[in-house]
Amino acid sequence: MKTLIIIPAYNEEGSIAGVIQDIHRHAPEADVIVVNDGSTDRTAELAAAAGAKVLTLPYNVGIGGGMQTGYLYAQRMGYDIAVQMDADGQHPAEELPKLIAKAREADLVIGSRYVETTSYRSSRMRRAGMVFFSGLVSLVTGQRFTDTTSGFRAAGRKVIELYAAYYPIDYPEVESIVYLKRKGCRITEVATEMHHRKAGKSSITPWKSVYYMVKVTLAVLMNAIRYDRGPAVSKL
């Protein structure tokens, strides 16, 4: 099946080439596209030199806009599977065959750090946030999830079409799951190893973490209310 790896990247010159090289080793049949989200460093140059196609956005639009750009490309170029990976080396390319194979059976496959025991370890606060959001999404959707903040995902054709039409803008991982469940998609998790960032600096500060918790919680609840009520019906 025609497969695309989508890598949103903002100032990731320290890791991007290695990520692409690992993909070529472990998933040589897949095409790689880097959505260069207005980087001011050599991210685009190094990505192209490593063998990826690069789409450069004129300014930084954030992860949501970058990912929707990738899904629009996947839709228009006729890909059957689109895999989202981080540019910082957190997602091991050796796990790609597992996600791609599972995407033949489900609409979306999430690489989970917690569906089985893995070597990944996070801070106590970050882990608490992951548990909170997994519980919230499980409650809203009626399906158990263990790792709703994972950005390591493989999408089939139905999800490519849906995400090309709409993708949450800010901190989209959690909200995008609720969106798909309301559209009747089949979502599953598979155990995957993950690493900590190999280079660069995370954009998530303590204040942004607070904003993230509040914003995503409200977005999930608003989505649940909107869909549970159903579409408005005009009375003539």
Side-chain angles (χ1 to χ4, degrees):
M1 299 182 76
K2 193 176 178 183
T3 302
L4 178 69
I5 311 297
I6 304 170
I7 307 174
Y10 176 65
N11 290 344
E12 297 287 1
E13 65 179 6
S15 57
I16 190 65
V19 169
I20 295 167
Q21 290 161 3
D22 280 347
I23 293 171
H24 289 326
R25 278 194 291 270
H26 295 283
E29 76 287 352
D31 295 330
V32 182
I33 185 170
V34 172
V35 181
N36 177 37
D37 192 12
S39 297
T40 56
D41 63 3
R42 298 175 64 221
T43 294
E45 175 188 343
L46 295 173
K53 182 177 180 63
V54 179
L55 294 181
T56 294
L57 303 179
Y59 53 87
N60 181 250
V61 299
I63 182 65
M67 279 310 305
Q68 187 170 23
T69 299
Y71 281 112
L72 280 164
Y73 180 87
Q75 177 202 44
R76 293 176 183 180
M77 300 303 291
Y79 284 93
D80 301 297
I81 296 172
V83 182
Q84 176 181 341
M85 287 185 70
D86 284 354
D88 57 14
Q90 292 192 69
H91 301 152
E94 55 265 32
E95 299 282 19
L96 281 171
K98 183 191 303 182
L99 266 70
I100 292 170
K102 197 70 175 177
R104 301 170 187 269
E105 307 168 9
D107 296 315
L108 183 74
V109 181
I110 301 172
S112 171
R113 292 159 282 194
Y114 306 113
V115 71
E116 295 177 9
T117 302
T118 66
S119 62
Y120 181 84
R121 296 293 178 269
S122 62
S123 68
R124 184 174 299 178
M125 181 158 298
R126 179 168 295 215
R127 177 62 177 141
M130 293 174 179
V131 170
F132 170 77
F133 283 124
S134 293
L136 178 64
V137 173
S138 298
L139 178 65
V140 167
T141 64
Q143 177 180 340
R144 181 177 179 268
F145 291 97
T146 65
D147 197 356
T148 53
T149 62
S150 170
F152 196 17
R153 303 177 176 189
R157 188 68 194 174
K158 180 178 180 179
V159 172
I160 291 172
E161 294 286 344
L162 288 169
Y163 279 167
Y166 170 75
Y167 199 83
I169 298 299
D170 238 356
Y171 308 109
E173 288 85 4
V174 177
E175 187 183 347
S176 63
I177 295 174
V178 177
Y179 168 63
L180 292 185
K181 286 298 295 182
R182 298 301 176 179
K183 294 294 186 178
C185 293
R186 296 166 299 140
I187 304 175
T188 190
E189 294 181 308
V190 296
T192 54
E193 289 289 346
M194 290 191 199
H195 307 306
H196 292 284
R197 169 181 283 274
K198 292 185 177 180
K201 183 179 180 181
S202 174
S203 62
I204 305 298
T205 63
W207 282 111
K208 283 187 177 180
S209 296
V210 174
Y211 169 76
Y212 171 83
M213 292 285 290
V214 174
K215 186 269 179 189
V216 174
T217 299
L218 291 175
V220 169
L221 293 177
M222 289 301 294
N223 266 290
I225 293 170
R226 183 185 309 135
Y227 284 106
D228 284 344
R229 285 181 176 177
V233 179
S234 298
K235 294 183 179 180
L236 300 178

